[in-house]
Amino acid sequence: SVFNNAVCDRLCPCLIMRLVFIDTEFRTLRLKAEDSSGRQHVVTVKLKPKHPLEAPVCTADLPVPLAMTWTAQSSLTHVHTQFLLLLESLAEFWAVLDEIDQKTWVLEPEKPSRADTMRRIVIGNNVSIKVEVNTRHPNMLPECCLLGADHVVTPLRNKLNSNMHLWNPECSVLQNLRDVLEIEFPSPATHEKSSFSVECGICYSYRLNSDIPDQVCNDSRCGQPFHQACLYEWLRGIPSSRQSFSIVFGECPYCSKPITVKCPPRNPEN
Ligand SMILES: [Zn+2]
Ligand SMILES: [Zn+2]
């Protein structure tokens, strides 16, 4: 018989209900799981040739490694139970990110997965904050990086530094960011996203591979954004520009005020 009894025996009725995929060799299965907040997750289980003597290889869209304990007596129900426990331990982390995703405009990642810990949140035109949320202590002050022209970013950075002591781990990251930066974030309820996705002043597009135009002219009347790669190529092609190590110094293509750009990292897609 084609049917693998070893697998069949271990698929109790409650697991069959959670089965979303099984390959024809009964070697790869996908099981769905719902956490207590109603988020849907999937774990992929690859059975080894000597199953169940050998532990299966499990993978899922998670920000932490998926470590499973397995003995020869273990079953797939056991995998599912451990997966659910891990999901519950990440519930607070996902709650923090879900609030950001629902109430703000996120520029990066373009389509966040459950494994992504970073969000780049719109503050205003060509101003954003990049936060790296801690998986274990999600409401702690995250690593923050403000991006935009100096004259906008400097006052925000000063607020962040002087109000940091107000950070309250009992409140969400988004609420704390509002309090510490003393701002309201533009949200889908108040703003169109298109007003924040201003295209690059050189290639006239928004996305270049996965990059967004995040190099902003520091002149307060100009403030034109460019892709790092576009600005680098542009400045290098102008005889009056000069390069020192990985930084090119030149003039803004729009307002001719001084502008600098770092050599962009090599993009594997190119
Ligand atoms: Zn460009
Ligand atoms: Zn400019």
Side-chain angles (χ1 to χ4, degrees):
S1 145
V2 201
F3 206 82
N4 185 324
N5 285 322
V7 178
C8 182
D9 287 346
R10 279 156 206 282
L11 275 179
C12 71
C14 65
L15 266 185
I16 288 172
M17 285 176 65
R18 312 207 184 284
L19 193 65
V20 285
F21 169 85
I22 187 159
D23 70 346
T24 50
E25 257 121 51
F26 300 99
R27 285 279 159 226
T28 304
L29 308 91
R30 285 197 192 101
L31 302 169
K32 64 180 172 188
E34 192 179 292
D35 66 27
S36 56
S37 302
R39 297 182 198 90
Q40 302 291 324
H41 306 267
V42 171
V43 59
T44 301
V45 185
K46 285 199 163 80
L47 304 183
K48 290 299 195 77
K50 287 184 191 153
H51 182 83
L53 294 174
E54 265 183 300
V57 177
C58 302
T59 48
D61 192 14
L62 298 172
V64 293
L66 178 53
M68 294 263 181
T69 58
W70 183 268
T71 67
Q73 284 76 44
S74 298
S75 66
L76 292 173
T77 313
H78 185 75
V79 168
H80 198 259
T81 310
Q82 288 188 70
F83 185 54
L84 276 175
L85 281 173
L86 185 59
L87 295 180
E88 285 319 312
S89 74
L90 290 162
E92 205 185 346
F93 164 78
W94 284 318
V96 164
L97 292 174
D98 283 352
E99 188 191 21
I100 293 174
D101 292 342
Q102 285 156 18
K103 297 187 183 168
T104 72
W105 283 120
V106 170
L107 295 176
E108 286 178 292
E110 194 176 3
K111 291 185 187 80
S113 81
R114 289 283 172 211
D116 286 313
T117 56
M118 183 278 275
R119 291 295 187 276
R120 180 167 169 178
I121 311 166
V122 168
I123 293 180
N125 272 327
N126 304 317
V127 198
S128 56
I129 185 165
K130 211 168 170 174
V131 295
E132 189 72 51
V133 177
N134 186 298
T135 52
R136 290 288 158 221
H137 307 284
N139 282 330
M140 262 182 16
L141 175 66
E143 248 178 73
C144 296
C145 176
L146 285 153
L147 298 136
D150 285 345
H151 65 100
V152 196
V153 163
T154 306
L156 287 168
R157 191 172 293 131
N158 293 341
K159 288 254 193 262
L160 187 63
N161 289 334
S162 59
N163 290 339
M164 210 174 259
H165 66 282
L166 299 174
W167 195 275
N168 178 3
E170 302 285 300
C171 296
S172 70
V173 166
L174 185 61
Q175 188 52 52
N176 274 303
L177 286 174
R178 283 193 197 111
D179 294 345
V180 167
L181 294 168
E182 297 172 15
I183 54 162
E184 272 305 322
F185 287 90
S187 79
T190 59
H191 292 76
E192 293 285 328
K193 191 177 190 180
S194 55
S195 48
F196 304 110
S197 18
V198 178
E199 63 272 7
C200 165
I202 293 167
C203 73
Y204 301 109
S205 63
Y206 183 64
R207 293 242 175 230
L208 177 70
N209 301 319
S210 60
D211 295 340
I212 62 172
D214 60 359
Q215 306 293 305
V216 180
C217 173
N218 271 328
D219 187 86
S220 55
R221 285 154 301 174
C222 176
Q224 176 66 43
F226 306 99
H227 292 118
Q228 191 179 357
C230 295
L231 186 59
Y232 180 75
E233 287 307 319
W234 174 279
L235 292 182
R236 281 211 322 164
I238 304 230
S240 62
S241 302
R242 65 189 177 82
Q243 182 157 2
S244 172
F245 298 99
S246 61
I247 298 173
V248 181
F249 300 78
E251 289 174 354
C252 169
Y254 274 66
C255 69
S256 304
K257 292 280 159 50
I259 197 166
T260 59
V261 66
K262 258 194 188 167
C263 172
R266 291 221 171 271
N267 194 325
E269 289 162 41
N270 284 345

PDB file of all heavy atoms in Angstrom, residues 232-254:
ATOM      1  N   TYR A 232      24.056  57.666  -5.408  1.00  0.00           N
ATOM      2  CA  TYR A 232      25.465  57.290  -5.486  1.00  0.00           C
ATOM      3  C   TYR A 232      25.937  57.317  -6.939  1.00  0.00           C
ATOM      4  O   TYR A 232      26.954  57.926  -7.262  1.00  0.00           O
ATOM      5  CB  TYR A 232      25.649  55.901  -4.873  1.00  0.00           C
ATOM      6  CG  TYR A 232      27.072  55.394  -4.887  1.00  0.00           C
ATOM      7  CD1 TYR A 232      28.018  55.896  -3.990  1.00  0.00           C
ATOM      8  CD2 TYR A 232      27.472  54.412  -5.787  1.00  0.00           C
ATOM      9  CE1 TYR A 232      29.324  55.433  -3.995  1.00  0.00           C
ATOM     10  CE2 TYR A 232      28.773  53.938  -5.792  1.00  0.00           C
ATOM     11  CZ  TYR A 232      29.702  54.452  -4.894  1.00  0.00           C
ATOM     12  OH  TYR A 232      30.984  53.986  -4.906  1.00  0.00           O
ATOM     13  N   GLU A 233      25.182  56.677  -7.831  1.00  0.00           N
ATOM     14  CA  GLU A 233      25.556  56.644  -9.249  1.00  0.00           C
ATOM     15  C   GLU A 233      25.555  58.051  -9.846  1.00  0.00           C
ATOM     16  O   GLU A 233      26.441  58.414 -10.604  1.00  0.00           O
ATOM     17  CB  GLU A 233      24.603  55.735 -10.043  1.00  0.00           C
ATOM     18  CG  GLU A 233      24.808  54.244  -9.790  1.00  0.00           C
ATOM     19  CD  GLU A 233      26.265  53.795  -9.986  1.00  0.00           C
ATOM     20  OE1 GLU A 233      26.918  54.264 -10.948  1.00  0.00           O
ATOM     21  OE2 GLU A 233      26.745  52.997  -9.162  1.00  0.00           O
ATOM     22  N   TRP A 234      24.559  58.832  -9.469  1.00  0.00           N
ATOM     23  CA  TRP A 234      24.435  60.201  -9.992  1.00  0.00           C
ATOM     24  C   TRP A 234      25.646  61.044  -9.578  1.00  0.00           C
ATOM     25  O   TRP A 234      26.298  61.674 -10.410  1.00  0.00           O
ATOM     26  CB  TRP A 234      23.143  60.828  -9.461  1.00  0.00           C
ATOM     27  CG  TRP A 234      22.972  62.280  -9.806  1.00  0.00           C
ATOM     28  CD1 TRP A 234      23.528  63.355  -9.169  1.00  0.00           C
ATOM     29  CD2 TRP A 234      22.187  62.814 -10.876  1.00  0.00           C
ATOM     30  NE1 TRP A 234      23.144  64.520  -9.767  1.00  0.00           N
ATOM     31  CE2 TRP A 234      22.314  64.227 -10.815  1.00  0.00           C
ATOM     32  CE3 TRP A 234      21.374  62.241 -11.864  1.00  0.00           C
ATOM     33  CZ2 TRP A 234      21.673  65.076 -11.713  1.00  0.00           C
ATOM     34  CZ3 TRP A 234      20.732  63.103 -12.748  1.00  0.00           C
ATOM     35  CH2 TRP A 234      20.888  64.489 -12.674  1.00  0.00           C
ATOM     36  N   LEU A 235      25.964  61.051  -8.267  1.00  0.00           N
ATOM     37  CA  LEU A 235      27.054  61.882  -7.760  1.00  0.00           C
ATOM     38  C   LEU A 235      28.399  61.434  -8.326  1.00  0.00           C
ATOM     39  O   LEU A 235      29.262  62.254  -8.627  1.00  0.00           O
ATOM     40  CB  LEU A 235      27.082  61.862  -6.228  1.00  0.00           C
ATOM     41  CG  LEU A 235      25.910  62.547  -5.512  1.00  0.00           C
ATOM     42  CD1 LEU A 235      26.101  62.486  -4.002  1.00  0.00           C
ATOM     43  CD2 LEU A 235      25.732  63.993  -5.963  1.00  0.00           C
ATOM     44  N   ARG A 236      28.575  60.135  -8.498  1.00  0.00           N
ATOM     45  CA  ARG A 236      29.842  59.619  -9.013  1.00  0.00           C
ATOM     46  C   ARG A 236      30.065  60.040 -10.463  1.00  0.00           C
ATOM     47  O   ARG A 236      31.193  60.092 -10.938  1.00  0.00           O
ATOM     48  CB  ARG A 236      29.872  58.094  -8.906  1.00  0.00           C
ATOM     49  CG  ARG A 236      30.195  57.652  -7.486  1.00  0.00           C
ATOM     50  CD  ARG A 236      30.920  56.361  -7.459  1.00  0.00           C
ATOM     51  NE  ARG A 236      30.422  55.434  -8.487  1.00  0.00           N
ATOM     52  CZ  ARG A 236      31.064  54.358  -8.878  1.00  0.00           C
ATOM     53  NH1 ARG A 236      32.214  54.054  -8.339  1.00  0.00           N
ATOM     54  NH2 ARG A 236      30.542  53.560  -9.792  1.00  0.00           N
ATOM     55  N   GLY A 237      28.962  60.306 -11.171  1.00  0.00           N
ATOM     56  CA  GLY A 237      29.068  60.691 -12.568  1.00  0.00           C
ATOM     57  C   GLY A 237      29.334  62.182 -12.764  1.00  0.00           C
ATOM     58  O   GLY A 237      29.444  62.655 -13.882  1.00  0.00           O
ATOM     59  N   ILE A 238      29.420  62.944 -11.663  1.00  0.00           N
ATOM     60  CA  ILE A 238      29.599  64.402 -11.763  1.00  0.00           C
ATOM     61  C   ILE A 238      31.042  64.735 -11.389  1.00  0.00           C
ATOM     62  O   ILE A 238      31.494  64.350 -10.306  1.00  0.00           O
ATOM     63  CB  ILE A 238      28.591  65.114 -10.819  1.00  0.00           C
ATOM     64  CG1 ILE A 238      27.204  64.644 -11.191  1.00  0.00           C
ATOM     65  CG2 ILE A 238      28.789  66.636 -10.821  1.00  0.00           C
ATOM     66  CD1 ILE A 238      26.152  65.619 -11.422  1.00  0.00           C
ATOM     67  N   PRO A 239      31.786  65.424 -12.265  1.00  0.00           N
ATOM     68  CA  PRO A 239      33.220  65.661 -12.007  1.00  0.00           C
ATOM     69  C   PRO A 239      33.497  66.421 -10.712  1.00  0.00           C
ATOM     70  O   PRO A 239      34.520  66.193 -10.080  1.00  0.00           O
ATOM     71  CB  PRO A 239      33.673  66.489 -13.220  1.00  0.00           C
ATOM     72  CG  PRO A 239      32.605  66.346 -14.238  1.00  0.00           C
ATOM     73  CD  PRO A 239      31.346  65.997 -13.533  1.00  0.00           C
ATOM     74  N   SER A 240      32.578  67.306 -10.269  1.00  0.00           N
ATOM     75  CA  SER A 240      32.851  68.102  -9.070  1.00  0.00           C
ATOM     76  C   SER A 240      32.660  67.308  -7.771  1.00  0.00           C
ATOM     77  O   SER A 240      33.017  67.785  -6.697  1.00  0.00           O
ATOM     78  CB  SER A 240      31.956  69.342  -9.061  1.00  0.00           C
ATOM     79  OG  SER A 240      30.606  68.934  -9.010  1.00  0.00           O
ATOM     80  N   SER A 241      32.080  66.098  -7.854  1.00  0.00           N
ATOM     81  CA  SER A 241      31.913  65.283  -6.646  1.00  0.00           C
ATOM     82  C   SER A 241      33.273  64.717  -6.239  1.00  0.00           C
ATOM     83  O   SER A 241      34.157  64.561  -7.061  1.00  0.00           O
ATOM     84  CB  SER A 241      30.968  64.108  -6.911  1.00  0.00           C
ATOM     85  OG  SER A 241      29.729  64.555  -7.359  1.00  0.00           O
ATOM     86  N   ARG A 242      33.422  64.466  -4.948  1.00  0.00           N
ATOM     87  CA  ARG A 242      34.636  63.777  -4.522  1.00  0.00           C
ATOM     88  C   ARG A 242      34.268  62.639  -3.575  1.00  0.00           C
ATOM     89  O   ARG A 242      33.241  62.693  -2.892  1.00  0.00           O
ATOM     90  CB  ARG A 242      35.635  64.746  -3.888  1.00  0.00           C
ATOM     91  CG  ARG A 242      35.155  65.353  -2.622  1.00  0.00           C
ATOM     92  CD  ARG A 242      36.032  66.463  -2.104  1.00  0.00           C
ATOM     93  NE  ARG A 242      35.413  67.004  -0.908  1.00  0.00           N
ATOM     94  CZ  ARG A 242      35.529  66.456   0.309  1.00  0.00           C
ATOM     95  NH1 ARG A 242      36.289  65.398   0.500  1.00  0.00           N
ATOM     96  NH2 ARG A 242      34.894  66.975   1.352  1.00  0.00           N
ATOM     97  N   GLN A 243      35.123  61.615  -3.585  1.00  0.00           N
ATOM     98  CA  GLN A 243      34.833  60.440  -2.761  1.00  0.00           C
ATOM     99  C   GLN A 243      35.916  60.277  -1.713  1.00  0.00           C
ATOM    100  O   GLN A 243      37.102  60.449  -1.990  1.00  0.00           O
ATOM    101  CB  GLN A 243      34.770  59.177  -3.641  1.00  0.00           C
ATOM    102  CG  GLN A 243      34.415  57.924  -2.836  1.00  0.00           C
ATOM    103  CD  GLN A 243      33.805  56.818  -3.679  1.00  0.00           C
ATOM    104  OE1 GLN A 243      33.670  56.952  -4.893  1.00  0.00           O
ATOM    105  NE2 GLN A 243      33.431  55.725  -3.042  1.00  0.00           N
ATOM    106  N   SER A 244      35.509  60.001  -0.468  1.00  0.00           N
ATOM    107  CA  SER A 244      36.457  59.714   0.597  1.00  0.00           C
ATOM    108  C   SER A 244      36.023  58.406   1.235  1.00  0.00           C
ATOM    109  O   SER A 244      34.941  58.325   1.790  1.00  0.00           O
ATOM    110  CB  SER A 244      36.440  60.850   1.607  1.00  0.00           C
ATOM    111  OG  SER A 244      37.218  60.499   2.726  1.00  0.00           O
ATOM    112  N   PHE A 245      36.857  57.398   1.133  1.00  0.00           N
ATOM    113  CA  PHE A 245      36.498  56.040   1.539  1.00  0.00           C
ATOM    114  C   PHE A 245      35.173  55.673   0.871  1.00  0.00           C
ATOM    115  O   PHE A 245      35.059  55.778  -0.340  1.00  0.00           O
ATOM    116  CB  PHE A 245      36.459  55.913   3.067  1.00  0.00           C
ATOM    117  CG  PHE A 245      37.804  56.173   3.675  1.00  0.00           C
ATOM    118  CD1 PHE A 245      38.104  57.408   4.229  1.00  0.00           C
ATOM    119  CD2 PHE A 245      38.789  55.188   3.648  1.00  0.00           C
ATOM    120  CE1 PHE A 245      39.362  57.656   4.768  1.00  0.00           C
ATOM    121  CE2 PHE A 245      40.048  55.437   4.176  1.00  0.00           C
ATOM    122  CZ  PHE A 245      40.336  56.665   4.738  1.00  0.00           C
ATOM    123  N   SER A 246      34.136  55.338   1.660  1.00  0.00           N
ATOM    124  CA  SER A 246      32.897  54.874   1.019  1.00  0.00           C
ATOM    125  C   SER A 246      31.862  55.997   0.891  1.00  0.00           C
ATOM    126  O   SER A 246      30.715  55.737   0.557  1.00  0.00           O
ATOM    127  CB  SER A 246      32.309  53.715   1.827  1.00  0.00           C
ATOM    128  OG  SER A 246      32.013  54.156   3.127  1.00  0.00           O
ATOM    129  N   ILE A 247      32.263  57.240   1.155  1.00  0.00           N
ATOM    130  CA  ILE A 247      31.283  58.342   1.108  1.00  0.00           C
ATOM    131  C   ILE A 247      31.575  59.281  -0.073  1.00  0.00           C
ATOM    132  O   ILE A 247      32.721  59.690  -0.277  1.00  0.00           O
ATOM    133  CB  ILE A 247      31.272  59.130   2.440  1.00  0.00           C
ATOM    134  CG1 ILE A 247      30.832  58.176   3.568  1.00  0.00           C
ATOM    135  CG2 ILE A 247      30.329  60.328   2.366  1.00  0.00           C
ATOM    136  CD1 ILE A 247      30.915  58.737   4.945  1.00  0.00           C
ATOM    137  N   VAL A 248      30.525  59.601  -0.825  1.00  0.00           N
ATOM    138  CA  VAL A 248      30.665  60.548  -1.929  1.00  0.00           C
ATOM    139  C   VAL A 248      30.045  61.881  -1.503  1.00  0.00           C
ATOM    140  O   VAL A 248      28.934  61.916  -0.961  1.00  0.00           O
ATOM    141  CB  VAL A 248      29.968  60.038  -3.213  1.00  0.00           C
ATOM    142  CG1 VAL A 248      30.157  61.036  -4.350  1.00  0.00           C
ATOM    143  CG2 VAL A 248      30.512  58.679  -3.620  1.00  0.00           C
ATOM    144  N   PHE A 249      30.796  62.968  -1.709  1.00  0.00           N
ATOM    145  CA  PHE A 249      30.331  64.323  -1.399  1.00  0.00           C
ATOM    146  C   PHE A 249      30.016  65.017  -2.717  1.00  0.00           C
ATOM    147  O   PHE A 249      30.841  64.995  -3.624  1.00  0.00           O
ATOM    148  CB  PHE A 249      31.419  65.114  -0.661  1.00  0.00           C
ATOM    149  CG  PHE A 249      31.837  64.506   0.649  1.00  0.00           C
ATOM    150  CD1 PHE A 249      32.699  63.411   0.681  1.00  0.00           C
ATOM    151  CD2 PHE A 249      31.363  65.014   1.848  1.00  0.00           C
ATOM    152  CE1 PHE A 249      33.088  62.841   1.899  1.00  0.00           C
ATOM    153  CE2 PHE A 249      31.738  64.447   3.066  1.00  0.00           C
ATOM    154  CZ  PHE A 249      32.604  63.361   3.092  1.00  0.00           C
ATOM    155  N   GLY A 250      28.827  65.607  -2.816  1.00  0.00           N
ATOM    156  CA  GLY A 250      28.471  66.297  -4.052  1.00  0.00           C
ATOM    157  C   GLY A 250      27.354  67.279  -3.813  1.00  0.00           C
ATOM    158  O   GLY A 250      27.161  67.752  -2.680  1.00  0.00           O
ATOM    159  N   GLU A 251      26.608  67.573  -4.885  1.00  0.00           N
ATOM    160  CA  GLU A 251      25.510  68.535  -4.776  1.00  0.00           C
ATOM    161  C   GLU A 251      24.192  67.850  -5.066  1.00  0.00           C
ATOM    162  O   GLU A 251      24.106  66.981  -5.948  1.00  0.00           O
ATOM    163  CB  GLU A 251      25.723  69.671  -5.787  1.00  0.00           C
ATOM    164  CG  GLU A 251      26.870  70.581  -5.422  1.00  0.00           C
ATOM    165  CD  GLU A 251      27.146  71.619  -6.511  1.00  0.00           C
ATOM    166  OE1 GLU A 251      26.504  71.545  -7.587  1.00  0.00           O
ATOM    167  OE2 GLU A 251      28.002  72.487  -6.268  1.00  0.00           O
ATOM    168  N   CYS A 252      23.151  68.266  -4.349  1.00  0.00           N
ATOM    169  CA  CYS A 252      21.803  67.731  -4.572  1.00  0.00           C
ATOM    170  C   CYS A 252      21.384  68.023  -6.026  1.00  0.00           C
ATOM    171  O   CYS A 252      21.482  69.164  -6.476  1.00  0.00           O
ATOM    172  CB  CYS A 252      20.828  68.392  -3.600  1.00  0.00           C
ATOM    173  SG  CYS A 252      19.093  68.062  -3.963  1.00  0.00           S
ATOM    174  N   PRO A 253      20.921  67.010  -6.768  1.00  0.00           N
ATOM    175  CA  PRO A 253      20.498  67.235  -8.159  1.00  0.00           C
ATOM    176  C   PRO A 253      19.333  68.225  -8.265  1.00  0.00           C
ATOM    177  O   PRO A 253      19.056  68.739  -9.339  1.00  0.00           O
ATOM    178  CB  PRO A 253      20.057  65.848  -8.624  1.00  0.00           C
ATOM    179  CG  PRO A 253      20.553  64.872  -7.624  1.00  0.00           C
ATOM    180  CD  PRO A 253      20.765  65.625  -6.345  1.00  0.00           C
ATOM    181  N   TYR A 254      18.641  68.500  -7.156  1.00  0.00           N
ATOM    182  CA  TYR A 254      17.477  69.386  -7.196  1.00  0.00           C
ATOM    183  C   TYR A 254      17.799  70.813  -6.804  1.00  0.00           C
ATOM    184  O   TYR A 254      17.385  71.753  -7.451  1.00  0.00           O
ATOM    185  CB  TYR A 254      16.346  68.830  -6.313  1.00  0.00           C
ATOM    186  CG  TYR A 254      15.504  67.856  -7.070  1.00  0.00           C
ATOM    187  CD1 TYR A 254      16.055  66.646  -7.494  1.00  0.00           C
ATOM    188  CD2 TYR A 254      14.192  68.143  -7.432  1.00  0.00           C
ATOM    189  CE1 TYR A 254      15.318  65.750  -8.246  1.00  0.00           C
ATOM    190  CE2 TYR A 254      13.446  67.256  -8.166  1.00  0.00           C
ATOM    191  CZ  TYR A 254      14.006  66.061  -8.573  1.00  0.00           C
ATOM    192  OH  TYR A 254      13.280  65.186  -9.321  1.00  0.00           O
TER     193      TYR A 254
END
